[in-house]
């Protein structure tokens, strides 16, 4: 197996962003390894080890690998069966003045683990910015439809009315929690630093002739050169694989949110109330030409399930690390970590595409309301009669009888709900017949839904999107074209 193939993920990155795909590419990985070797050499030189300026300059000038260097590294790995040593050898060929000091005092995990932590932190940044864009798109949708009444569902059975915008805020709130969780875990990631073969820093202590202070300074300096605020105080040969589990937990939680949103959209598509984008030339079915399958939302559900499962993989790997390390984590992580980030990235970009083209059908929504609202309005009718001097129990019985008759029309005969027509035809309800239209106005059944949307967007969404990093991401964002 060639060296660059070792780090390929089986998940197709067709729909992943260029940034995320590049982050887990062989070119990025080995560039990062070389940068880490450079940082180590700079720090060791600064602390007194005999490393020449020429060695440092040659390393700086050759951080990017050429195609020829990839071939050399592949041949070396095939011969040595060791990816890190293959790349130490390859780097030394283009930086000969540094050949004798590259990787000085380090173990393989100095580059592999520290690079992984860099990738995890950068990957979380991409997801945070992508998630913020999705939140901004759905927030615009919620604001647009803040007061459009729609039938609410509990147990997927008709319930009290809500609004299309209010329902969207339920999605957004969970995404805000995901944004919080991703930021928390990114800000918490530390650096492995220079810890040696079993985490004791013995090799570095030998290099500095037993000077503990210089070893501590080396760890701190390399950590800062690599862009981290702190290094984990103690490690084994590797950083704890619990970090991977901690990082994948909010990704899995994001998967749960995305699955719920996409499922709601799929159900709404079945009701013909809201649909995801559908191109004029798109084909829904090879056999049934009329179909408009919610394929993007289905893709989100499919990938979200995979994303949720990957967290379990990280937990299992963390639980079986023996003492200072074992190697049964390596092949697993080289698949799991890139897949988790690529999957999350694709889920977010697909949901963004859906959110940017959601189609709402107000007349279908109104028709469904009209089928259910007469039953929901019966209490209002009873109260209106009582206000006009009617007897509550008598009014209740009248409504009960008429409701059952209307229910028979709907359930047994497949006809429309004619409860209101029956009420209009019954002389008993003459005192309130002029009020029936107002009593049946859907906007009087949505409670504070529009005001809740306004308050939520102002007090919760707006502050969350005010962060400069997030504002810049939203400002620079473009519509997602999935080229489906």
């Amino acid at each position: 197996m060639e060296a660059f193939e070792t780090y390929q993920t089986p998940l197709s990155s067709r729909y992943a962003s260029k940034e995320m795909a590049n982050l887990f590419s062989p070119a990025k990985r080995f560039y990062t390894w070389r940068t880490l070797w450079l940082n180590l050499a700079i720090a060791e030189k600064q602390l007194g080890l005999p490393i020449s300026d020429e060695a440092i300059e040659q390393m700086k000038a050759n951080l990017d690998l050429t195609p020829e260097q990839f071939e050399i590294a592949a041949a070396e790995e095939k011969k040595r069966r060791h990816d890190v040593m293959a790349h130490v050898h390859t780097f030394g060929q283009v930086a000969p003045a540094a050949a004798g000091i590259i990787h000085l005092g380090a173990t393989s995990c100095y580059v592999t683990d520290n690079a992984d932590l860099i990738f995890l932190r950068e990957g979380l940044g991409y997801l945070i910015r992508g998630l913020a864009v999705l939140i901004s798109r759905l927030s615009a949708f919620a604001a647009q439809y803040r007061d459009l009444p729609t039938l609410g569902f509990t147990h997927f059975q008709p319930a009290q009315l809500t609004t299309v915008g209010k329902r969207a805020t339920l999605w957004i709130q969970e995404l805000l929690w995901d944004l919080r969780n991703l930021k928390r875990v990114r800000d918490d990631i530390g650096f492995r630093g220079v810890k040696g073969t079993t985490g004791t820093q013995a090799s570095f202590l030998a290099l500095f002739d037993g000077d503990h202070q210089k070893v501590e300074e080396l760890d701190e300096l390399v950590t800062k050169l690599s862009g981290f605020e702190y290094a984990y105080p103690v490690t084994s040969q590797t950083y704890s694989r619990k970090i991977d589990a901690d990082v994948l937990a909010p990704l899995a939680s994001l998967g749960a949110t995305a699955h719920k949103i996409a499922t709601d959209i799929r159900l709404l598509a079945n009701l013909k109330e809201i649909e995801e984008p559908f191109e004029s030339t798109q084909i829904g079915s090879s056999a049934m030409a009329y179909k408009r399958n919610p394929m993007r939302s289905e893709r989100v559900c499919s990938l979200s399930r995979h994303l949720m499962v990957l967290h379990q993989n990280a937990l299992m790997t963390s639980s079986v690390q023996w003492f200072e390390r074992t190697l049964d984590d390596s092949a697993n992580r080289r698949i799991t970590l890139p897949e988790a980030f690529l999957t999350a990235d694709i889920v977010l970009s697909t949901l963004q595409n859906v959110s940017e083209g959601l189609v709402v059908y107000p007349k279908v929504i109104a028709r469904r309301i009209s089928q259910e609202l007469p039953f929901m309005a019966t209490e209002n009718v009873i109260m209106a009669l009582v206000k006009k001097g009617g007897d509550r129990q008598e009014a209740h019985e009248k409504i009960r009888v008429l409701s059952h008759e209307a229910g028979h029309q709907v359930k047994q005969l497949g006809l429309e709900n004619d409860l209101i027509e029956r009420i209009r035809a019954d002389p008993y309800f003459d005192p309130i017949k002029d009020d029936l239209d107002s009593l049946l106005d859907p906007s009087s059944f949505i409670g504070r839904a529009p005001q809740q949307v306004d308050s939520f967007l102002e007090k919760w969404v707006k502050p969350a999107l005010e962060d400069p990093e997030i504002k810049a991401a939203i400002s620079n964002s473009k519509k997602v074209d999935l080229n489906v």
Side-chain angles (χ1 to χ4, degrees), residues 377-434:
T378 54
E379 185 66 17
N380 289 10
V381 171
I382 292 172
M383 291 300 100
L385 273 170
V386 171
K387 288 180 180 180
K388 293 289 180 71
D391 179 270
R392 196 253 177 214
Q393 302 307 320
E394 185 179 0
H396 183 279
E397 179 60 19
K398 286 280 188 179
I399 287 289
R400 186 189 70 79
V401 172
L402 295 181
S403 295
H404 281 284
E405 292 174 355
H408 177 79
Q409 297 292 308
V410 173
K411 295 178 180 179
Q412 301 297 326
L413 304 179
L415 301 175
E416 294 296 321
N417 187 337
D418 63 354
L419 175 58
I420 301 304
E421 286 71 20
R422 292 176 183 274
I423 290 175
R424 291 187 190 278
D426 192 325
Y428 178 80
F429 297 95
D430 285 347
I432 62 155
K433 285 181 181 177
D434 292 339

Side-chain angles (χ1 to χ4, degrees), residues 148-153 160-164 166-167 445-446 449:
L148 179 61
T150 189
L151 189 64
F153 291 95
Q160 285 190 348
L161 302 191
T162 182
T163 68
V164 172
K166 170 61 190 302
R167 179 176 283 147
F445 289 83
I446 59 176

Side-chain angles (χ1 to χ4, degrees), residues 205-479:
L205 191 63
L207 278 176
F208 289 102
D209 298 322
D211 190 330
H212 290 271
Q213 181 62 35
K214 282 195 173 181
V215 175
E216 289 189 10
E217 290 178 8
L218 178 70
D219 202 0
E220 293 172 1
L221 184 53
V222 172
T223 297
K224 286 183 171 55
L225 286 170
S226 300
F228 283 78
E229 292 297 320
Y230 81 102
Y232 296 116
V234 292
T235 74
S236 60
Q237 187 176 97
T238 68
Y239 70 77
S240 170
R241 297 314 183 211
K242 188 174 179 66
I243 302 300
D244 295 341
D246 287 348
V247 170
L248 264 58
L251 269 65
S253 185
L254 171 62
T257 302
H259 199 294
K260 186 265 192 294
I261 294 171
T263 300
D264 282 356
I265 293 172
R266 291 167 66 188
L267 292 170
L268 289 166
N270 174 265
L271 297 174
K272 297 181 175 59
E273 293 188 4
I274 295 179
E275 290 181 340
E276 65 178 38
F278 196 93
E279 278 76 18
S280 60
T281 57
Q282 184 175 331
I283 295 174
S285 168
S286 61
M288 295 167 279
Y290 60 88
K291 293 195 75 179
R292 293 170 63 94
N293 299 336
M295 58 184 297
R296 292 171 175 85
S297 298
E298 289 172 324
R299 181 185 301 151
V300 168
C301 289
S302 178
L303 292 175
S304 293
R305 288 199 297 272
H306 181 58
L307 183 57
M308 288 184 275
V309 168
L310 288 174
H311 181 225
Q312 182 66 28
N313 203 349
L315 287 169
M316 294 174 68
T317 296
S318 175
S319 71
V320 296
Q321 293 306 290
W322 299 351
F323 301 115
E324 280 63 51
R325 92 152 300 177
T326 179
L327 198 62
D328 65 349
D329 65 328
S330 181
N332 184 301
R333 294 175 66 254
R334 296 184 192 204
I335 297 172
T336 300
L337 296 182
E339 277 202 358
F341 279 85
L342 287 167
T343 302
D345 184 77
I346 298 168
V347 165
L348 285 176
S349 63
T350 307
L351 271 181
Q352 182 184 331
N353 173 265
V354 170
S355 70
E356 291 169 343
L358 284 172
V359 182
V360 178
Y361 297 105
K363 291 185 178 180
V364 177
I365 293 173
R367 182 172 182 272
R368 180 159 284 109
I369 290 175
S370 70
Q371 292 172 333
E372 301 294 340
L373 193 59
F375 294 132
M376 298 179 188
T378 54
E379 185 66 17
N380 289 10
V381 171
I382 292 172
M383 291 300 100
L385 273 170
V386 171
K387 288 180 180 180
K388 293 289 180 71
D391 179 270
R392 196 253 177 214
Q393 302 307 320
E394 185 179 0
H396 183 279
E397 179 60 19
K398 286 280 188 179
I399 287 289
R400 186 189 70 79
V401 172
L402 295 181
S403 295
H404 281 284
E405 292 174 355
H408 177 79
Q409 297 292 308
V410 173
K411 295 178 180 179
Q412 301 297 326
L413 304 179
L415 301 175
E416 294 296 321
N417 187 337
D418 63 354
L419 175 58
I420 301 304
E421 286 71 20
R422 292 176 183 274
I423 290 175
R424 291 187 190 278
D426 192 325
Y428 178 80
F429 297 95
D430 285 347
I432 62 155
K433 285 181 181 177
D434 292 339
D435 302 324
L436 281 176
D437 288 340
S438 62
L439 291 173
L440 291 166
D441 182 0
S443 64
S444 66
F445 289 83
I446 59 176
R448 297 190 62 253
Q451 291 73 28
Q452 286 181 333
V453 173
D454 296 340
S455 177
F456 174 71
L457 295 179
E458 179 65 26
K459 295 180 180 179
W460 293 92
V461 177
K462 185 177 178 181
L465 302 185
E466 282 296 311
D467 179 273
E469 174 191 17
I470 287 175
K471 286 182 71 174
I474 295 171
S475 177
N476 297 327
S477 64
K478 298 178 181 178
K479 283 192 172 184

